[in-house]
Structures are given as structure tokens and as C-alpha cells.
Amino acid sequence: MTLLKRLIATLALLPVLACANEGGFPLAHAPDRTKDVSALQNGAKLFVNYCLNCHAASSMRYNRLRDLGLSEDQIKNNLLFTGEKVGDLMKISMLPQDAKTWFGATPPDLSVIARAKASELGSGPDWIYTYLRSYYKDDSRPTGWNNMLFPNVGMPHVLWELQGTQVPKYSEEKDPHEEGKTIHKFEKFELVKAGKMSAIEYDNAVADLVGYLEWMAEPAQNTRKRLGVWVLLFLGVFLVLTWRLNASYWKNVK
């Protein structure tokens, strides 16, 4: 029994340990937008405009966006820019070797990034939501940007025009482990140059983008969950009928 309790406690700590491996920066909770069609449409627009330049989504076709209420004409007129067809996969023209030269690593495919991060850290949407809100100006980095959640990140801040430029603010505290030494503790981000969006608007936009990434990882997830409810209800009714039939069959058997 003690071994079982230890195992459960260890499993419960895995997401926390994963976050600690990412630098110990706390994750913000991402609003669930996977059932909000208008939010998903906006997220798809942000993804195509800001992410699809470097990151492919090679398991996703443009015409699957019809599941979000978009017509083929809307997809063609608003989300296709370089001669792709509505039935094409979401690929990019940038060569992997060029991407590695420019960024130091090949940008990952984002088809299932939300599920991959969920499997790795226990909370994919929260990680992506925090990551996209944690960029700050750092002139010591090759791109001029750094990230509080992912220190020394190679990816530049592609949404900086929307968010603006922010810098971290720290407070000094005495090191409890070493007398006479102070440590810098992160307090907050301070906006030094406004972007096209307010802080609330930017957070909402990022939530829409994260919602789209979560939806794209499994477009049929909402249908699967609805069907799952009906299947459980059917099994519940069938269980009651089976139980009563069994009781009726054996009531006269001695």
C-alpha cells in the first residue's frame, strides 16, 4: 500500500518536475477555446499569418478548416497566399537546411504540438499559452529576443508587433542558502513599447491561437467526446436492462 501511494505521488509530480526542467517558470492557465468556432477561426488566421511561414503543419489540409464553418472561397481568399490549393497540406517552402542555418535548429512541425507538449509536460495548451506571452527584449541574443519560459530560445518573437516590447522586472532578495548573497527574483513584465493590441486583446489572441493548435492536433476531438457521452449513456441503459433480465431469468431457479 505504501509503494502504491509513493507511485501515485510520483505520477502527480511529473508535470511539476517537467515545468521545473523548463526553467521553473510557472505556467498560466490557457482558456479553453476548442468549442468556440469564432475563436478557432481567428486562431486559424493567426496561425497562417504568423506561424506557417516557418512552421509546417504537414498533417493538416486547408480544406479541413471547413469544419470550423469556413467555406472554400473564404479559405482561398483569406488563408492561401502563395498559390496553394484548398486541398493541399499546410507545408512551407523553406528548406530544413536553410532553417537550421538561420535559426540553429529546424522549426518543428506544429500539426500535433499541443498533444506532444501535453504528453511531455502534462499541459500542452498551458505551456504554449505561457510561452507566447513570455517573450522579452534581450539584445544579447542573436534574434534580439529571449523567453522566460524557454531561456535562450532560438525562435524570434513573431507576435511582437501585436504584443509590443516588454522587459522583465526583478526584485532582490537575500539568498537563504548563502549569507551575504542576493538573488534576483522575477516579479513581472513591463511594457516599454506598445503593440497593436492591448494586453487583454493580445492574451485573447494568443488564447485563440492556442485553441486552434489544440483543435488542429485532433480536429475530431469534440465529435469524439460527444459520441463518447452517448456511448456511455447507451451502456448505462443496457446495463440496467441486462441486470433486470438476469434477475427475471433466475428468480424461479432454485
Side-chain angles (χ1 to χ4, degrees), residues 1 13 29 34 67 69 74-75 90 99 104-105 110 120 132 134 141 148 155 166 177 189 213 221 228 231 238 248:
M1 191 66 180
L13 283 173
H29 177 65
T34 55
D67 292 356
Q74 288 174 320
I75 297 171
M90 289 185 170
L110 298 183
E120 177 187 353
L132 292 175
S134 300
R141 299 295 302 158
M148 194 63 68
M155 174 181 157
Q166 61 182 11
H177 305 292
F189 286 112
L213 291 173
Q221 59 182 288
V231 169
F238 189 74
S248 175

Side-chain angles (χ1 to χ4, degrees), residues 160-211:
W160 72 270
E161 288 185 319
L162 304 181
Q163 184 184 29
T165 304
Q166 61 182 11
V167 294
K169 291 297 179 182
Y170 300 91
S171 61
E172 289 190 355
E173 296 182 357
K174 292 182 179 180
D175 190 337
H177 305 292
E178 188 173 342
E179 187 176 353
K181 184 179 179 181
T182 59
I183 57 175
H184 292 85
K185 181 180 179 182
F186 172 77
E187 290 291 336
K188 62 178 181 178
F189 286 112
E190 182 178 288
L191 191 67
V192 295
K193 183 178 179 181
K196 295 179 179 178
M197 295 181 174
S198 67
I200 294 177
E201 290 172 336
Y202 180 75
D203 287 351
N204 277 323
V206 171
D208 291 348
L209 176 56
V210 172

Side-chain angles (χ1 to χ4, degrees), residues 1-11:
M1 191 66 180
T2 302
L3 179 62
L4 179 60
K5 289 181 179 179
R6 288 179 179 177
L7 178 60
I8 294 173
T10 302
L11 292 174

Side-chain angles (χ1 to χ4, degrees), residues 140-162:
S140 67
R141 299 295 302 158
T143 63
W145 299 96
N146 210 331
N147 193 282
M148 194 63 68
L149 179 63
F150 195 154
N152 300 324
V153 65
M155 174 181 157
H157 187 16
V158 295
L159 301 175
W160 72 270
E161 288 185 319
L162 304 181

Side-chain angles (χ1 to χ4, degrees), residues 10-203:
T10 302
L11 292 174
L13 283 173
L14 284 179
V16 178
L17 295 175
C19 292
N21 290 334
E22 290 291 339
F25 193 73
L27 298 182
H29 177 65
D32 184 5
R33 302 285 170 86
T34 55
K35 299 180 179 65
D36 187 333
V37 174
S38 61
L40 292 174
Q41 290 176 355
N42 186 48
K45 178 182 176 181
L46 291 168
F47 176 78
V48 170
N49 280 278
Y50 292 96
C51 304
L52 200 53
N53 299 310
C54 301
H55 295 274
S58 56
S59 298
M60 183 72 176
R61 295 186 185 275
Y62 288 98
N63 59 9
R64 192 62 194 262
L65 297 176
R66 291 180 300 187
D67 292 356
L68 301 181
L70 298 175
S71 66
E72 288 200 6
D73 286 337
Q74 288 174 320
I75 297 171
K76 186 185 301 182
N77 296 331
N78 298 288
L79 301 176
L80 299 180
F81 304 110
T82 57
E84 301 100 332
K85 297 179 181 178
V86 176
D88 287 347
L89 295 169
M90 289 185 170
K91 295 184 177 181
I92 58 174
S93 57
M94 182 171 58
L95 298 175
Q97 55 267 33
D98 290 337
K100 190 171 183 179
T101 301
W102 296 333
F103 303 114
T106 304
D109 188 287
L110 298 183
S111 299
V112 293
I113 188 64
R115 295 190 68 179
K117 282 296 180 183
S119 176
E120 177 187 353
L121 303 174
S123 182
D126 290 351
W127 191 94
I128 301 171
Y129 181 69
T130 305
Y131 170 73
L132 292 175
R133 296 167 63 247
S134 300
Y135 270 94
Y136 64 92
K137 191 65 176 171
D138 184 354
D139 294 330
S140 67
R141 299 295 302 158
T143 63
W145 299 96
N146 210 331
N147 193 282
M148 194 63 68
L149 179 63
F150 195 154
N152 300 324
V153 65
M155 174 181 157
H157 187 16
V158 295
L159 301 175
W160 72 270
E161 288 185 319
L162 304 181
Q163 184 184 29
T165 304
Q166 61 182 11
V167 294
K169 291 297 179 182
Y170 300 91
S171 61
E172 289 190 355
E173 296 182 357
K174 292 182 179 180
D175 190 337
H177 305 292
E178 188 173 342
E179 187 176 353
K181 184 179 179 181
T182 59
I183 57 175
H184 292 85
K185 181 180 179 182
F186 172 77
E187 290 291 336
K188 62 178 181 178
F189 286 112
E190 182 178 288
L191 191 67
V192 295
K193 183 178 179 181
K196 295 179 179 178
M197 295 181 174
S198 67
I200 294 177
E201 290 172 336
Y202 180 75
D203 287 351

